[in-house]
Amino acid sequence: MFQFSFSTTVALVAALLACLVSLLAIHFRRKASRLTSDLDKLQEKLAVTHTDLQALQQKYQDSLDFQKNLSEAELTTRLQQPRLSAQHGHSRITAPERYLYIRSLAQNGMSAEEIASVLSISVTEAEQLVNLAKLGSYSS
């Protein structure tokens, strides 16, 4: 059998340990490289998610602002409704009566602009209602 001297045995063990350390170093470098790559990908995803979050926060804030403005407009409208009704005395006119009223105003020569002013409605709405009243008078 082979008999190794003590120094040869130590040299062989040292060589084996050096190989083992080299293999471990290569393994951990590859693992570190993979982890670095994964970290880079996660940082990119985090940046995209952060941008998306900022966009969503802005949309949410815009939505809150819109809701606030809408609520204020509704409140203003409700507060002005009694005043407008009292000013124009039309609070009890129902829709069909209103059309009859518009038709009579149009038949008496009032323009859509004048009717809009009297009824506190838009000129476009007054024009549409005058046209409807004219169509109604043709069918009657």
Side-chain angles (χ1 to χ4, degrees):
M1 288 269 217
F2 295 104
Q3 284 192 350
F4 294 108
S5 68
F6 180 75
S7 60
T8 307
T9 305
V10 169
L12 279 174
V13 169
L16 285 173
L17 285 175
C19 287
L20 182 62
V21 167
S22 296
L23 289 174
L24 286 173
I26 291 170
H27 170 73
F28 286 120
R29 280 187 190 155
R30 287 182 182 168
K31 189 170 185 174
S33 177
R34 278 193 307 269
L35 290 173
T36 301
S37 175
D38 291 347
L39 179 62
D40 290 341
K41 290 176 187 175
L42 287 174
Q43 285 175 332
E44 289 174 14
K45 287 181 181 181
L46 181 62
V48 169
T49 303
H50 181 69
T51 303
D52 292 346
L53 176 62
Q54 287 178 329
L56 287 173
Q57 286 174 332
Q58 184 60 47
K59 284 182 181 180
Y60 177 71
Q61 188 60 46
D62 292 346
S63 173
L64 289 179
D65 292 343
F66 175 78
Q67 196 68 9
K68 179 184 172 197
N69 291 337
L70 182 62
S71 296
E72 288 174 0
E74 288 174 346
L75 178 61
T76 301
T77 301
R78 275 191 266 131
L79 291 173
Q80 290 177 349
Q81 199 64 35
R83 182 180 57 87
L84 291 173
S85 296
Q87 284 178 345
H88 298 292
H90 300 298
S91 61
R92 295 185 179 210
I93 296 177
T94 61
E97 291 173 353
R98 190 175 213 186
Y99 297 143
L100 294 173
Y101 186 60
I102 290 170
R103 183 170 63 183
S104 70
L105 292 175
Q107 287 172 345
N108 289 327
M110 285 186 80
S111 68
E113 291 83 11
E114 293 169 323
I115 294 171
S117 175
V118 168
L119 297 178
S120 298
I121 59 175
S122 72
V123 174
T124 305
E125 184 179 1
E127 289 171 348
Q128 289 175 347
L129 292 172
V130 167
N131 289 334
L132 285 172
K134 287 179 184 176
L135 286 172
S137 66
Y138 290 134
S139 63
S140 310

